[in-house]
Amino acid sequence: MEEVALTQYREHLTIQDAEKRKEFLKSCIGLPFSSEDSALVQDHYTLLERQIIIEANDKHLEAAGQTEIFRKHPRKASILNMPLVTTLFYSCFYHYNEAEGTFSSPANLKKTFKIPDKQYVLTALAARAKLRAWHDVDALFTTKNWLGYTKKKAPIGFHRVVEILQRNNAPVQILQEYVRLVEDVETKLNLAMKHKCHDVVIDTYKDLKDRLQLMAYRCKVDRGSPAEEKIDSILSNPQIRWKN
């Protein structure tokens, strides 16, 4: 029975028209699938139903030419029949700050399709970094505790954050901020050197009280640069108790 249901479900691939495909998927919902497959078919139908609404609305907005995001970044393809993660990226790119009540809002997609935090953060980060919306990137990792103190937290690890930001050509000041938040010292130093985040390297060696490494790093920075001046100032500070 289940095999027959799956065979029938696969027929949706032959239907090009989105509305007809949606109706076909709707007719598949009652078929005798396993509970896991049944949930997938239901999600597939819900996703396409959403995509049809978003596509019609965005096509209209783009044609009207009144919406800045569509003027600056014209859509390259239709959202119809795209996978969930592509739809989420699109939503984070074009509809990021929309209220949860709208079908096209990322928060709504996350809730409806139970998208895990890691997947959501990875996708939102990639979309906002592509737009160079650094304030949104910052907000993505800022959490507040009940006392009102803010701290930075990344479910994907800050080394992954740095990787994605670098891929999107983030400026050094932005990269530096997130390299600093990498917990493992060796990983932090490697990333800081790779991306020329001099301040992070210098501060880390200072914290480690490693004079020799700091002197070695001095040879790698430009002569007369702020980085060289910073190293000289630290090396001549009599209050630091170096370990070597």
Side-chain angles (χ1 to χ4, degrees), residues 9 12 15-29 41-42 44-53 80-81:
Y9 165 68
H12 79 266
I15 304 168
Q16 295 307 312
D17 180 79
E19 282 289 348
K20 284 179 183 165
R21 188 185 278 211
K22 183 186 82 169
E23 288 313 310
F24 179 80
L25 288 170
K26 192 176 184 179
S27 73
C28 290
I29 289 172
V41 172
Q42 176 68 59
H44 190 171
Y45 167 73
T46 308
L47 180 61
L48 183 55
E49 188 181 37
R50 287 284 175 93
Q51 289 172 339
I52 289 169
I53 295 166
L80 297 176
N81 301 315

Side-chain angles (χ1 to χ4, degrees), residues 10 13 42 56 67 74 79 115 148-149 171 173 194 217 227 236 239:
R10 284 191 198 104
L13 293 167
Q42 176 68 59
T67 314
I79 193 74
I115 297 168
Y149 293 115
Q173 310 89 279
K194 183 180 173 186
Y217 194 69
S236 60
Q239 294 182 317

Side-chain angles (χ1 to χ4, degrees), residues 2-13:
E2 202 183 318
E3 198 48 54
V4 174
L6 283 169
T7 304
Q8 189 173 332
Y9 165 68
R10 284 191 198 104
E11 279 181 35
H12 79 266
L13 293 167

Side-chain angles (χ1 to χ4, degrees), residues 12-217:
H12 79 266
L13 293 167
T14 63
I15 304 168
Q16 295 307 312
D17 180 79
E19 282 289 348
K20 284 179 183 165
R21 188 185 278 211
K22 183 186 82 169
E23 288 313 310
F24 179 80
L25 288 170
K26 192 176 184 179
S27 73
C28 290
I29 289 172
L31 295 175
F33 295 105
S34 68
S35 60
E36 196 180 327
D37 286 341
S38 183
L40 287 171
V41 172
Q42 176 68 59
D43 274 355
H44 190 171
Y45 167 73
T46 308
L47 180 61
L48 183 55
E49 188 181 37
R50 287 284 175 93
Q51 289 172 339
I52 289 169
I53 295 166
I54 296 168
E55 178 65 22
N57 190 39
D58 288 0
K59 221 175 185 173
H60 172 72
L61 284 173
E62 192 171 26
Q66 298 298 306
T67 314
E68 190 184 357
I69 184 82
F70 292 115
R71 280 207 314 271
K72 279 187 174 174
H73 304 277
R75 299 179 326 135
K76 290 188 172 73
S78 158
I79 193 74
L80 297 176
N81 301 315
M82 290 296 168
L84 176 58
V85 71
T86 310
T87 310
L88 179 62
F89 181 90
Y90 176 95
S91 172
C92 288
F93 193 91
Y94 288 108
H95 300 281
Y96 194 62
N97 293 310
E98 277 179 22
E100 199 184 297
T102 60
F103 274 163
S104 47
S105 102
N108 195 311
L109 285 171
K110 183 180 191 286
K111 193 175 177 182
T112 304
F113 297 99
K114 298 179 177 62
I115 297 168
D117 274 352
K118 280 187 179 179
Q119 183 64 68
Y120 179 81
V121 168
L122 269 173
T123 311
L125 171 61
R128 302 320 289 169
K130 196 174 177 66
L131 282 168
R132 307 181 78 73
W134 310 126
H135 180 73
D136 290 338
V137 169
D138 184 65
L140 202 53
F141 303 111
T142 305
T143 59
K144 235 181 199 170
N145 70 8
W146 60 278
L147 288 168
Y149 293 115
T150 60
K151 71 171 197 166
K152 293 277 193 283
K153 198 173 156 197
I156 55 174
F158 282 110
H159 61 290
R160 293 286 303 280
V161 176
V162 172
E163 212 177 277
I164 292 165
L165 288 175
Q166 195 271 329
R167 223 180 287 151
N168 285 284
N169 302 314
V172 171
Q173 310 89 279
I174 300 289
L175 276 181
Q176 197 152 270
E177 217 177 296
Y178 295 97
V179 172
R180 236 181 242 291
L181 295 165
V182 175
E183 281 186 24
D184 181 73
V185 175
E186 204 173 319
T187 308
K188 184 197 292 190
L189 278 169
N190 286 338
L191 284 170
M193 287 180 189
K194 183 180 173 186
H195 302 307
K196 295 191 165 42
C197 300
H198 299 310
D199 273 355
V200 180
V201 178
I202 296 165
D203 291 340
T204 306
Y205 284 143
K206 181 189 171 187
D207 292 342
L208 292 169
K209 302 199 172 7
D210 197 331
R211 192 172 59 100
L212 295 180
Q213 288 287 14
L214 198 53
M215 287 166 77
Y217 194 69

